Amino acid sequence: MRVEQLTFTRFLAAIFIVIFHFGENIDFFHNRYTSFLFENAYVFVSYFFVLSGFVMVVAYGNKSEIKFFSFLKKRLARIYPVYLLAIFLHLLIYLFQWTDTSSMVLNLLMLQSWVPEKAFAINFPAWSISVEFFFYFIFPFLVNFIYSKVEIKWLTVGICIYWAMSQIIFYLIESEYLHIPIYSTTDLYYFPVVHLNEFLIGNLMGYFFIQNRLTHSKGYHFQIMLLLTALLVILRFPMGLTLHTGLLAIILGLLILFLALSNSQWTDWLTHPALVFLGKISYSLYILQLPVWFIFSDHRLKKYFGLYDMEIATAFIIRLTALLLTAALTYLIFESPIRKLIRKL
């Protein structure tokens, strides 16, 4: 089952992350009114992790058992072709003069986030895909041995305790009260287990959705606006808190839940075909952002397009437009067809 009103939110999250990566010198994004939102836009990676957990349960939560290899094949068919394309484009940009074999092997196996100082190797946004692959790997075991056997009230208690403990432990690590051998604090920002709490919160919200989707039918406007306000206030006044490791997972999870349950004009607007299509291309947009930015470098824009003396904002708009077109074409002629082909094999 698909919850189409959530699809466009993936696009919004991806755009915020692109701005976070490449829009730091643009006044429109970084002024006293908006800078807090874009400087902390990395939290939208947490949104992806929570949403992934939610979607997994909505798709498979009614099953008492998931076949591991069948599930993994479907998920790899979803993410790996474009992931591999991004690596190929990176190599092409550098004329295949890549010598760090270990980074290449780790990226091909989607294991880079497990190894110190390797999370950002080659295509740095792909660290989150390494984390996602970990979620895909353990999800069948969660369903088969825990979710299908535990009542939701105890599942709620267990996941909330795990979330709270994960925040306390990371605070102790960041405050240097606790030391993890080999890994630096920076490494742990991208370590898959550190982000497991976000995926589990998403799973929990998915089960709440399954229980309530047929019995509750209203707009949830107040709840959605309250959660959005809380999110903006925390981003504006973070008070030195680390938001990268799931501190906002419950707020993001509840926001996803109420958006999914909502049945109003919000739903009609968010499920417009054009917005749903933008949501569908969000993965290509996210994973191809670095190669596209390199391909449309200042040097190439000047050399091949005759665009000299551009303002930073103009160059950003050109690159973002190129990224949107690339993502749309990639989805239509590469991602979607190959996914269907792999599933048939």
Side-chain angles (χ1 to χ4, degrees):
M1 180 178 63
R2 297 175 66 93
V3 186
E4 293 289 19
Q5 59 260 46
L6 296 176
T7 306
F8 179 62
T9 67
R10 289 163 40 197
F11 174 80
L12 293 177
I15 288 293
F16 271 98
I17 292 168
V18 170
I19 295 171
F20 171 73
H21 287 152
F22 303 109
E24 60 181 4
N25 295 320
I26 300 174
D27 292 338
F28 180 77
F29 301 129
H30 292 276
N31 55 65
R32 63 176 182 169
Y33 302 107
T34 62
S35 60
F36 77 94
L37 185 58
F38 297 104
E39 288 172 359
N40 294 307
Y42 58 82
V43 299
F44 289 101
V45 177
S46 293
Y47 181 82
F48 281 139
F49 293 154
V50 178
L51 181 60
S52 176
F54 179 89
V55 170
M56 288 296 98
V57 166
V58 170
Y60 296 94
N62 285 323
K63 296 185 178 182
S64 58
E65 183 179 2
I66 297 177
K67 295 181 179 179
F68 177 77
F69 289 106
S70 175
F71 171 81
L72 205 59
K73 182 187 75 171
K74 291 179 180 179
R75 300 319 303 168
L76 286 174
R78 169 72 179 88
I79 66 172
Y80 200 69
V82 182
Y83 177 90
L84 197 61
L85 175 63
I87 294 176
F88 174 79
L89 289 175
H90 181 91
L91 293 174
L92 188 63
I93 291 166
Y94 289 98
L95 301 177
F96 291 87
Q97 295 177 357
W98 188 264
T99 57
D100 190 347
T101 305
S102 63
S103 294
M104 178 57 66
V105 171
L106 289 170
N107 270 263
L108 289 173
L109 296 176
M110 294 188 286
L111 296 175
Q112 65 269 35
S113 289
W114 293 93
V115 180
E117 300 181 358
K118 293 292 185 181
F120 279 11
I122 301 183
N123 184 25
F124 69 79
W127 75 268
S128 64
I129 310 304
S130 177
V131 176
E132 281 280 358
F133 182 62
F134 166 62
F135 297 158
Y136 296 160
F137 191 86
I138 67 170
F139 182 69
F141 298 99
L142 291 172
V143 171
N144 295 346
F145 299 106
I146 299 177
Y147 294 163
S148 61
K149 303 180 185 304
V150 178
E151 293 183 32
I152 192 168
K153 63 179 180 180
W154 298 117
L155 195 62
T156 303
V157 172
I159 289 177
C160 287
I161 290 174
Y162 180 86
W163 171 82
M165 291 301 299
S166 70
Q167 301 309 306
I168 293 170
I169 290 172
F170 197 85
Y171 172 79
L172 294 175
I173 293 172
E174 198 170 41
S175 302
E176 299 184 351
Y177 292 111
L178 183 64
H179 178 66
I180 305 297
I182 302 175
Y183 293 93
S184 68
T185 303
T186 302
D187 292 327
L188 292 174
Y189 281 134
Y190 312 104
F191 193 66
V193 177
V194 169
H195 294 280
L196 179 58
N197 69 88
E198 296 159 309
F199 184 73
L200 296 180
I201 290 293
N203 289 164
L204 180 62
M205 297 303 165
Y207 280 109
F208 284 143
F209 172 75
I210 290 173
Q211 282 197 345
N212 292 282
R213 64 188 177 89
L214 298 179
T215 57
H216 292 72
S217 179
K218 56 182 180 180
Y220 293 102
H221 298 136
F222 174 76
Q223 291 90 335
I224 291 170
M225 293 306 299
L226 182 64
L227 289 165
L228 286 174
T229 301
L231 181 62
L232 289 173
V233 170
I234 293 172
L235 292 179
R236 180 64 180 86
F237 305 103
M239 296 181 291
L241 297 173
T242 298
L243 306 179
H244 194 288
T245 57
L247 187 63
L248 299 177
I250 292 179
I251 291 177
L252 296 173
L254 288 171
L255 182 60
I256 289 168
L257 174 63
F258 287 124
L259 282 171
L261 289 173
S262 178
N263 183 16
S264 65
Q265 290 183 341
W266 285 63
T267 307
D268 295 338
W269 182 75
L270 288 171
T271 55
H272 188 280
L275 299 185
V276 171
F277 177 76
L278 289 175
K280 289 179 178 179
I281 71 171
S282 60
Y283 175 60
S284 292
L285 186 148
Y286 176 82
I287 202 67
L288 296 176
Q289 58 182 293
L290 184 62
V292 168
W293 236 257
F294 281 171
I295 290 171
F296 289 88
S297 64
D298 286 340
H299 171 72
R300 292 186 177 91
L301 288 176
K302 292 176 183 178
K303 182 177 180 180
Y304 299 109
F305 298 95
L307 299 174
Y308 295 89
D309 298 324
M310 288 183 299
E311 294 182 353
I312 296 175
T314 303
F316 177 87
I317 292 172
I318 292 172
R319 293 183 180 113
L320 181 60
T321 302
L323 177 58
L324 289 168
L325 292 174
T326 302
L329 290 173
T330 300
Y331 175 79
L332 291 171
I333 67 178
F334 183 79
E335 179 183 348
S336 185
I338 288 185
R339 186 193 316 165
K340 293 177 182 178
L341 178 62
I342 292 175
R343 288 181 175 179
K344 290 180 180 179
L345 295 178

